[in-house]
């Protein structure tokens, strides 16, 4: 807990563990194969679940219409209205599930991901970014990598975002 002027803010600890439930993986793979199979495009969606004591349980997700310019990945479009409508419907079904972050099918972090992460921050103060690898690979293992951003306060009133941290 941090006291700044007359307001009390609760500081959430950074996540130490992200548990991605199988339904989320299946939904992301289905999203990819419906929209971007046999292309170089990636798909994006929001992650729902709960956070408790640094553990993020990602129990559900939904796909969001997303387009990215092939020549400049800093030019992108994410359908906000679609997201708002989906979030409203999901809240009616399960009010306990909150937005905990977002996913993409990567396969790696791109420069535009920082901007998308800032957008997701409007719905969740400390979002998780999960890259879900949907391409066939030679190596075995979990097809996910989870990241969060760390904020460093350099001086009063000035916040600097540092690199993404892997969970």
């Amino acid at each position: 807990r941090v006291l700044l002027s007359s307001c009390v803010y609760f500081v959430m600890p950074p996540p130490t563990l992200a548990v991605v439930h199988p339904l989320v993986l299946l939904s992301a793979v289905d999203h990819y194969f419906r929209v971007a199979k046999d292309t170089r495009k990636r798909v994006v969606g929001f992650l729902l679940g709960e956070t408790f004591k640094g553990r993020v349980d990602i129990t559900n997700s939904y796909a969001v219409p997303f387009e990215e310019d092939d020549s400049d990945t800093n030019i992108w479009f994410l359908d906000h209205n679609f997201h708002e409508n989906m979030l409203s419907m999901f809240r009616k079904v399960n009010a306990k599930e909150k937005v905990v972050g977002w996913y993409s099918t990567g396969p790696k972090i791109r420069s535009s991901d920082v901007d998308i992460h800032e957008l997701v921050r409007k719905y969740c103060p400390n979002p998780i970014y999960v890259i879900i690898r949907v391409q066939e690979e030679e190596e075995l293992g979990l097809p996910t990598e989870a990241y969060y951003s760390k904020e460093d306060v350099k001086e009063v009133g000035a916040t600097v975002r540092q690199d993404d941290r892997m969970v």
Side-chain angles (χ1 to χ4, degrees):
R1 204 164 64 142
V2 178
L3 181 62
L4 296 176
S5 66
S6 62
C7 299
V8 176
Y9 296 95
F10 289 95
V11 178
M12 298 272 303
T16 56
L17 178 66
V19 178
V20 181
H21 291 242
L23 177 63
V24 175
L25 298 176
L26 289 171
S27 295
V29 170
D30 176 62
H31 182 199
Y32 176 79
F33 279 98
R34 282 185 293 109
V35 175
K37 184 180 179 185
D38 298 327
T39 68
R40 297 188 62 202
K41 293 182 179 183
R42 64 181 178 153
V43 296
V44 169
F46 278 79
L47 300 170
L48 303 172
E50 296 179 89
T51 302
F52 184 71
K53 292 186 178 178
R55 175 186 165 127
V56 181
D57 276 305
I58 304 167
T59 54
N60 213 337
S61 66
Y62 54 88
V64 176
F66 176 78
E67 289 293 325
E68 203 168 26
D69 190 324
D70 292 334
S71 60
D72 183 3
T73 59
N74 288 322
I75 300 173
W76 52 272
F77 169 77
L78 189 140
D79 193 336
H80 296 269
N81 292 331
F82 183 87
H83 159 66
E84 293 286 341
N85 290 334
M86 289 296 289
L87 184 58
S88 173
M89 286 189 281
F90 270 90
R91 283 184 177 151
K92 290 176 184 175
V93 173
N94 189 350
K96 285 179 67 177
E97 287 183 333
K98 308 285 186 223
V99 172
V100 294
W102 64 290
Y103 74 84
S104 82
T105 53
K108 59 184 184 218
I109 295 177
R110 299 182 185 181
S111 59
S112 60
D113 291 345
V114 173
D115 296 329
I116 298 169
H117 202 75
E118 284 304 309
L119 173 82
V120 176
R121 202 177 279 280
K122 293 178 183 176
Y123 304 98
C124 171
N126 199 9
I128 290 282
Y129 170 39
V130 177
I131 296 176
I132 301 173
R133 292 186 305 278
V134 295
Q135 306 293 343
E136 292 182 27
E137 295 181 3
E138 295 295 320
E139 65 185 58
L140 295 176
L142 293 176
T144 60
E145 293 175 359
Y147 298 89
Y148 70 96
S149 62
K150 182 176 183 262
E151 291 183 350
D152 286 336
V153 178
K154 299 293 182 185
E155 56 187 65
V156 176
T159 302
V160 177
R161 292 210 199 295
Q162 209 176 29
D163 57 1
D164 291 328
R165 308 287 172 136
M166 190 173 199
V167 179

